Amino acid sequence: MSDPHSQTRVLEALIEASREIRTHYDSNAREVGLTFSRARVVSELARHEGATQAELASILCIEAPALKRQIDALEAQGFIERRALDGDARKRALHLTNKARSSRITCFLERVRADLLEGISPEDQQRACEVLERIALNATKLTYQ
């Protein structure tokens, strides 16, 4: 059985890390006129250019209707454009515009990843990923009355 003090420290460290990352990310997103959610969509689309809405929703682990609202707003702001997908007129591929490419937000997430993981070995990164994925899975099972 785990030490309750260690359990508390792990969860508090996770919460604090999440809060610090979110604060920094929000600040950078605001500087280019985006919300955290929209900046996250742009950042992921930069890594998966040409994805469909369904594919991007899956990558982001969010529901398609929620993503549609973000895409509509990003399109209105001039960050994303929808293009017909070759071979299927019903589907649209998502692409970044020149405005998005010239924005600092498209490379921000890559810089954050590199900076946050600096000095952490690939093995430790892998183990941390496994632990965090397990915590996330356990969180999906929480049901308190």
Side-chain angles (χ1 to χ4, degrees):
M1 176 159 237
S2 296
D3 170 27
H5 180 68
S6 293
Q7 291 174 343
T8 299
R9 286 184 56 217
V10 167
L11 292 178
E12 288 302 318
L14 178 60
I15 291 167
E16 182 62 22
S18 295
R19 184 179 17 251
E20 288 298 323
I21 292 166
R22 176 74 185 248
T23 297
H24 188 66
Y25 198 96
D26 280 343
S27 173
N28 278 272
R30 273 193 305 275
E31 288 178 18
V32 295
L34 296 174
T35 63
F36 173 82
S37 298
R38 291 178 191 168
R40 186 169 172 247
V41 171
V42 170
S43 295
E44 284 303 315
L45 186 56
R47 297 176 57 209
H48 303 280
E49 185 96 19
T52 64
Q53 182 175 311
E55 292 166 341
L56 192 58
S58 177
I59 291 164
L60 292 165
C61 298
I62 61 175
E63 297 292 324
L67 178 61
K68 182 188 181 309
R69 288 188 296 276
Q70 297 299 333
I71 291 170
D72 289 345
L74 286 164
E75 188 174 39
Q77 287 181 280
F79 283 96
I80 289 179
E81 62 185 11
R82 293 173 167 109
R83 296 182 196 160
L85 195 60
D86 291 338
D88 190 343
R90 295 168 296 151
K91 291 186 180 179
R92 312 280 284 171
L94 303 172
H95 293 272
L96 297 178
T97 63
N98 288 335
K99 177 181 179 177
R101 286 189 216 319
S102 65
S103 165
R104 292 177 329 148
I105 206 67
T106 54
C107 63
F108 172 71
L109 190 54
E110 292 302 320
R111 285 194 331 265
V112 166
R113 286 183 181 125
D115 290 346
L116 289 175
L117 298 175
E118 184 178 337
I120 301 172
S121 72
E123 296 81 16
D124 285 346
Q125 290 179 37
Q126 178 63 35
R127 182 67 182 136
C129 186
E130 291 167 3
V131 169
L132 291 171
E133 286 171 350
R134 180 57 190 249
I135 290 171
L137 177 64
N138 289 347
T140 66
K141 298 175 186 175
L142 296 177
T143 55
Y144 300 110
Q145 302 294 330

